[in-house]
Amino acid sequence: MEIEPAEAEVVREIFTQVAGGKTAHWVSGELNRRGLRSRRGHAWTLGTVARVVHNPIHTGVVPTNRYES
């Protein structure tokens, strides 16, 4: 895995805003107002911001052996 600097900056900003008391709805609106797009080029939504915040990889936890066959 490699850190993508541009994406990492947006993730840091999302965490900073949420930790500062802003809602996911507010953060998504702010990112869209500034013309930033998600990794896939879509507008930010409340759900997209929530997935970023709750993704364990963004907190430094890399899951291993999550699936059994």
Side-chain angles (χ1 to χ4, degrees):
M1 298 179 86
E2 292 183 28
I3 295 174
E4 179 63 41
E7 290 178 14
E9 185 59 37
V10 174
V11 170
R12 278 188 212 99
E13 182 175 344
I14 290 170
F15 271 88
T16 300
Q17 295 293 343
V18 171
K22 301 294 184 188
T23 65
H25 186 265
W26 185 91
V27 173
S28 64
E30 181 64 17
L31 293 171
N32 290 325
R33 184 188 66 75
R34 293 179 21 215
L36 296 174
R37 292 288 179 235
S38 70
R39 170 191 260 182
R40 295 184 177 172
H42 299 287
W44 288 90
T45 65
L46 177 135
T48 309
V49 172
R51 276 191 296 279
V52 168
V53 171
H54 293 285
N55 187 336
I57 290 176
H58 293 141
T59 60
V61 177
V62 180
T64 57
N65 299 324
R66 289 173 46 181
Y67 304 102
E68 293 183 25
S69 56

